[in-house]
């Protein structure tokens, strides 16, 4: 009798390798996206915070998904975060937000000007597909919402380093400051004021005196003077807005389309324009707000509207 051929092993389930905003790869069997249960381990958010952020992310989608309403108490929706067939949010984890809706969110947080909005968007959009996935959104918020001054400084350096060469040059300083709405006066006086502020910034930030601001310069100076972390334009949220964004009680209001509002805690009515801030506004981790232009020694009045 002929020998029977050896049995072959069953094929392994498909796996997909993804990258998060920190560049770390994660192999997820059978799924092309990480779930909140997995994101808890890599982001520092609690599962309750991730549930709130999942509702926030869903509110940014062009078509609001069929998901349960937010719990009235501080509880988790059944099967939330598992990524299983019973998880009611599984379609949200696989969705993406476009640039227009994400810029609306940034406006609510107080990010000012098209240039800075574009820079923040690019920092979140790690795969450069012009959309923000759920994973990119969560990992980006990990840095964007952080109360840690070193994390904030590293984040804003990436924003201000326009060509990603790990240097903030005088040309980049000029471009950033010139894009801000707070400069007033004639074209000639505005031009003079911006150039003056660039020189002041350079003297303050260039520790090794090489005519540019490297990452080591930036981290050292901003750790001593926290107001300077946003000296080239507001690109971080104020602490009270972060707390409201993570507060599940802010999910209770819906707009006419049935989506949960992206407004932070319902502080503003939909459609209002965020108040302009100074061109070099900044805040310390303690929540103090002020003008970094003033901190750099520029007097209020003649050239710079502060």
């Amino acid at each position: 009798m002929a020998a029977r051929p050896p049995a072959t092993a069953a094929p392994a389930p498909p796996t997909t390798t993804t990258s998060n905003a920190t560049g770390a790869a994660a192999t997820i069997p059978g799924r092309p996206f990480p779930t909140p249960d997995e994101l808890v381990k890599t982001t520092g958010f609690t599962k309750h915070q991730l549930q709130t952020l999942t509702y926030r992310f869903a509110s940014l989608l062009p078509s609001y998904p069929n998901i349960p309403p937010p719990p009235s108490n501080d509880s988790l929706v059944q099967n939330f975060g598992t990524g299983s067939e019973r998880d009611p949010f599984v379609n949200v984890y696989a969705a993406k937000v476009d640039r227009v809706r994400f810029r609306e969110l940034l406006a609510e947080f107080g990010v000012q000007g098209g240039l800075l909005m574009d820079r923040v968007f690019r920092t979140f959009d790690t795969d450069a597909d012009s959309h923000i996935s759920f994973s990119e959104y969560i990992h980006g918020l990990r840095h964007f919402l952080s109360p840690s001054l070193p994390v904030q400084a590293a984040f804003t350096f990436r924003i201000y380093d326009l060509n990603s060469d790990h240097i903030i040059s005088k040309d980049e300083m000029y471009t950033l400051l010139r894009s801000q709405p707070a400069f007033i006066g004639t074209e000639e006086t505005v031009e003079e004021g911006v150039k003056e502020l660039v020189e002041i910034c350079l003297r303050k930030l260039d520790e090794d005196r090489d005519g540019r601001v490297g990452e080591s310069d930036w981290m050292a100076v901003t750790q001593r003077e926290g107001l300077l972390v946003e000296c080239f334009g507001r690109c971080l949220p104020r602490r009270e807005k972060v707390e409201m964004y993570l507060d599940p009680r802010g999910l209770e209001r819906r707009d006419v389309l049935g989506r949960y509002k992206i407004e932070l805690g319902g502080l503003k009515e939909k459609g209002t324009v965020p108040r302009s801030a100074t061109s070099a506004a900044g805040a310390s981790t303690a929540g103090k707000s002020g003008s970094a232009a003033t901190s750099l020694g520029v007097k209020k009045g003649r050239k710079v509207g502060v």
Side-chain angles (χ1 to χ4, degrees):
M1 177 182 290
R4 297 177 63 181
T8 56
T15 61
T16 304
T17 300
T18 63
S19 295
N20 59 33
T22 63
T27 301
I28 306 166
R31 268 189 287 104
F33 54 85
T35 66
D37 279 356
E38 293 155 341
L39 291 170
V40 164
K41 304 172 185 177
T42 58
T43 63
F45 289 121
T46 67
K47 193 166 181 179
H48 284 81
Q49 288 173 332
L50 285 172
Q51 178 171 275
T52 299
L53 292 176
T54 302
Y55 279 107
R56 297 287 192 187
F57 183 79
S59 75
L60 299 172
L61 300 176
S63 178
Y64 193 77
N66 182 22
I67 56 178
S72 57
N73 54 10
D74 188 22
S75 61
L76 293 171
V77 174
Q78 187 175 9
N79 294 312
F80 166 74
T82 63
S84 68
E85 293 180 356
R86 295 185 177 183
D87 187 339
F89 299 90
V90 69
N91 290 333
V92 178
Y93 311 148
K96 294 190 175 187
V97 172
D98 63 31
R99 185 186 297 266
V100 173
R101 288 291 287 160
F102 193 75
R103 284 169 65 100
E104 291 176 5
L105 173 63
L106 295 180
E108 291 291 338
F109 274 120
V111 178
Q112 291 188 310
L115 176 60
L116 289 180
M117 284 188 176
D118 183 64
R119 292 296 302 159
V120 175
F121 180 89
R122 289 171 181 265
T123 301
F124 273 72
D125 181 22
T126 56
D127 63 3
D129 69 347
S130 297
H131 288 79
I132 306 298
S133 69
F134 179 73
S135 176
E136 289 173 331
Y137 168 78
I138 297 298
H139 279 284
L141 290 180
R142 173 190 181 188
H143 304 283
F144 183 65
L145 303 182
S146 175
S148 164
L149 183 56
V151 174
Q152 291 177 350
F155 181 84
T156 57
F157 184 86
R158 292 172 63 193
I159 301 299
Y160 299 150
D161 178 15
L162 300 181
N163 63 359
S164 302
D165 65 350
H166 305 290
I167 295 292
I168 302 176
S169 66
K170 289 177 65 174
D171 287 342
E172 287 171 325
M173 296 179 199
Y174 177 87
T175 299
L176 289 161
L177 292 172
R178 194 68 177 84
S179 71
Q180 294 302 299
F183 288 95
I184 58 176
T186 66
E187 182 69 22
E188 182 178 352
T189 59
V190 168
E191 185 79 6
E192 182 184 350
V194 174
K195 289 180 178 178
E196 178 184 341
L197 189 52
V198 166
E199 294 300 326
I200 294 171
C201 289
L202 185 62
R203 289 196 298 270
K204 189 73 173 180
L205 297 167
D206 181 17
E207 288 227 313
D208 58 11
R209 298 296 182 259
D210 63 352
R212 56 189 184 176
V213 178
E215 191 164 4
S216 59
D217 296 328
W218 178 261
M219 296 301 292
V221 174
T222 55
Q223 300 319 292
R224 295 196 302 266
E225 300 185 48
L227 284 176
L228 299 181
V229 77
E230 292 185 280
C231 62
F232 298 121
R234 177 175 291 185
C235 53
L236 291 172
R238 304 286 74 87
R239 297 315 306 165
E240 63 273 12
K241 290 194 173 183
V242 172
E243 293 169 2
M244 292 174 183
Y245 198 66
L246 293 173
D247 189 342
R249 292 173 296 180
L251 298 172
E252 295 174 359
R253 298 176 60 196
R254 287 192 178 209
D255 62 17
V256 293
L257 299 178
R259 298 181 300 204
Y260 293 96
K261 289 196 171 191
I262 66 171
E263 283 82 4
L264 306 185
L267 283 181
K268 297 181 290 185
E269 293 302 320
K270 199 169 184 67
T272 57
V273 179
R275 182 175 62 86
S276 295
T278 61
S279 64
S284 69
T285 55
K288 299 176 182 178
S289 61
S291 167
T294 302
S295 174
L296 288 164
V298 178
K299 294 181 179 180
K300 296 182 180 181
R302 183 171 61 88
K303 297 172 185 172
V304 183
V306 296

